[in-house]
Amino acid sequence: MNRKANLTGTSGVYRWSAILGITALTTLLAGCPFDGDNDNVNDNNSDTDTFEVTITNLTAGQPFSPAAVIFHGQHWRAFTTGEPASVALETLAEGGNNASLLAEAADASQVYGHASGQSPIAPGASETVTITLPEAHNRDGLSVSVLTMLVNSNDGLAALNGVSLAALEERQSLHFTALSYDSGTEANTETVDTIPGPAASGGAQEGFNPVRDDVRDAVALHGGVVTQDDGMTGSVLRAQHRWDHPAMRVTVVRTD
C-alpha cells in the first residue's frame, strides 16, 4: 500500500483520537525555502530540485504518526544520542505531534525545507512526501531527516537522523533503513493510560506530558517493548506490538 502526499493534499482517514487534527496543523508549516541570503540560490528561484521521500513502516503492530521530513545541512540534527531530547522531540515521541519539531526546524538557518506526512502510516504501509527546494544540489552537505512516533509505545521513535544526499543525482534514488530510539522522557510503563496508540483504546491514551519520569533523560537506541505476553503486569501491549531494528525504510528520489 502506497499513498502519495503533497503539501496541500487532504488527510487520510487512518488515525487515532490522540493525534486527531495534527495533519491540518502541520501542513501549515510545510515548504520552508532556502534562506535567500545564501549566494548559491538563484535570485529568481528559477532552478529547483524536487525530491520524493517514501516512508515505509516495517513493523508488525506499530502504526507511525504523521512523519516529519526535513532537508538540511550536515551540521543540523533533530537530536543527538546520549543527550536530552528537546521539548519538540519529546512532543513528537510521546504524542505523535510533529508541529513543534517542524516549527523549530523552520527557524534553523541550516534547514532548507520541511513537510509533514498527511496521515499515520499503518504497519506494512507506505507514504510518499514531495518537497521542492531551490538549487538544492549546489549545497554542500545536503542531508535528510525523517522522524515518526511508534504510537503503541510510551516515547518510541523511528528516525533517520541526518543522512547525506550528496551522492544523489537527478532521476536517481537512495535507500535507507532507520533505527528506533527511546526519547528518554517517559517511563516505559506500557499502560492503557500512557500510550496514545490504538492498542490502548478505552484508556486515557495520554500523549505529551511535560513531566520527565524516565530513568535517564537522554535519547538512546530503543530496547523494544516488554508486553504482557512477556509477563509485564499492567502492560496493554501484546506480542504483535514488539519490533526489531530497522523499524522504517526510507527511499529518496530526486525527480528533477
Side-chain angles (χ1 to χ4, degrees), residues 157-175:
L157 292 161
L160 196 67
N161 190 25
V163 295
S164 174
L165 298 179
L168 186 58
E169 300 292 338
E170 185 174 342
R171 302 188 186 282
Q172 290 186 346
S173 61
L174 291 174
H175 306 272

Side-chain angles (χ1 to χ4, degrees), residues 130-145:
T130 301
I131 299 180
T132 298
L133 307 177
E135 292 284 354
H137 62 285
N138 289 334
R139 304 304 175 118
D140 291 334
L142 181 65
S143 302
V144 66
S145 291

Side-chain angles (χ1 to χ4, degrees), residues 21-127:
I22 291 174
T23 297
L25 176 61
T26 52
T27 299
L28 296 175
L29 295 169
C32 175
F34 285 122
D35 187 332
D37 293 334
N38 193 302
D39 294 336
N40 288 331
V41 177
N42 210 331
D43 288 341
N44 59 14
N45 287 329
S46 59
D47 294 323
T48 60
D49 290 326
T50 299
F51 297 88
E52 292 183 347
V53 181
T54 299
I55 304 127
T56 301
N57 185 336
L58 299 179
T59 74
Q62 285 287 341
F64 289 171
S65 66
V69 180
I70 304 168
F71 283 78
H72 54 86
Q74 60 184 332
H75 299 298
W76 185 90
R77 286 290 183 274
F79 64 89
T80 300
T81 54
E83 295 185 5
S86 66
V87 175
L89 185 71
E90 179 185 9
T91 303
L92 172 60
E94 293 182 7
N97 187 339
N98 64 28
S100 293
L101 182 65
L102 291 177
E104 185 177 86
D107 289 335
S109 61
Q110 271 224 323
V111 170
Y112 306 141
H114 64 276
S116 173
Q118 293 294 308
S119 61
I121 304 173
S126 300
E127 181 176 19

Side-chain angles (χ1 to χ4, degrees), residues 2-15:
N2 182 277
R3 296 189 299 277
K4 279 244 181 168
N6 56 40
L7 305 190
T8 57
T10 57
S11 301
V13 295
Y14 182 83
R15 59 181 66 204

